[in-house]
Amino acid sequence: MIRSAMEVDAEAIIDIRNSIILSENTTKFFVSNNISTNVEKEADKIRKNIENGNLFIVYEVDRKVVGYLVFNRYEQQRLQHAGSMSMAISEEFCNQGIGTKLITFLLDWAKKQENVEKICLGVVSINDRAIKVYERMGFLEEGRQINQIKYEDGSYSDDIVMAYYLKQN
């Protein structure tokens, strides 16, 4: 089930993010020192997101939040036709179509919004699973920041910039 995030979801959202950061399967997708435990700060982000007319949704399985998606419109006047999205799904619930459902919800929501023309995102180049989902959903690669991410072992990954166009020029 997909629903709007509420302040009471803050702890579950932090748990998802931190479990992904600490997961052996995804340690190269995230910077490990970004672990947050500030529930108040996360609840405030949810509240502000809703107040600003952005989208913050969660995906529940058996009344437990197992994934989320956030879309924030850019605030600058000349960029307000676009915004950025991010999402995360608990590792144990990956490969079940949840990401596709969250993105579909976002696209349907965005098409009903006034002046939303472009959805942007960044994805680490080694995250093949996410890249395949984004491409299947219609996102296009717009560029790469080469060797943007440097890991503790000295290896690098690119940051791939992707976008979905709701309105074609």
Side-chain angles (χ1 to χ4, degrees):
M1 176 178 116
I2 297 175
R3 63 167 175 79
S4 292
M6 299 180 288
E7 291 176 50
V8 297
D9 298 321
E11 189 170 357
I13 289 165
I14 289 171
D15 289 346
I16 292 167
R17 189 178 305 126
N18 291 342
S19 71
I20 293 169
I21 290 170
L22 296 172
S23 169
E24 289 181 22
N25 296 330
T26 58
T27 51
K28 289 210 168 199
F29 297 166
F30 301 95
V31 179
S32 58
N33 63 357
N34 281 348
I35 297 174
S36 170
T37 57
N38 190 329
V39 175
E40 259 183 52
K41 193 174 182 180
E42 190 68 33
D44 190 50
K45 281 176 25 182
I46 294 168
R47 182 176 44 258
K48 286 181 181 176
N49 201 290
I50 294 165
E51 287 172 1
N52 291 334
N54 293 311
L55 183 68
F56 200 139
I57 54 176
V58 296
Y59 192 96
E60 287 184 326
V61 173
D62 297 328
R63 300 178 61 108
K64 177 185 177 193
V65 175
V66 300
Y68 66 89
L69 181 144
V70 181
F71 173 79
N72 289 305
R73 268 195 215 200
Y74 298 129
E75 293 182 15
Q76 298 86 349
Q77 181 66 34
R78 292 184 177 177
L79 301 178
Q80 287 181 351
H81 67 286
S84 65
M85 68 150 274
S86 62
M87 75 172 173
I89 300 162
S90 295
E91 188 68 27
E92 66 206 78
F93 290 92
C94 288
N95 296 320
Q96 297 181 23
I98 294 172
T100 299
K101 290 175 185 173
L102 287 168
I103 294 169
T104 299
F105 188 100
L106 167 63
L107 297 178
D108 291 343
W109 174 87
K111 289 171 185 173
K112 297 173 189 166
Q113 303 305 305
E114 192 172 320
N115 297 325
V116 175
E117 300 174 17
K118 181 179 179 183
I119 298 169
C120 305
L121 62 87
V123 60
V124 178
S125 58
I126 61 170
N127 193 347
D128 294 327
R129 181 171 60 196
I131 293 166
K132 286 176 185 168
V133 171
Y134 298 139
E135 289 175 341
R136 190 177 70 245
M137 299 297 297
F139 284 80
L140 304 172
E141 182 175 327
E142 292 192 314
R144 285 178 181 250
Q145 294 179 297
I146 306 298
N147 292 342
Q148 184 70 10
I149 299 119
K150 184 174 182 178
Y151 302 105
E152 290 80 9
D153 67 2
S155 64
Y156 296 88
S157 287
D158 300 345
D159 186 23
I160 301 175
V161 179
M162 300 184 83
Y164 182 95
Y165 291 87
L166 293 150
K167 178 181 175 185
Q168 301 295 326
N169 288 333

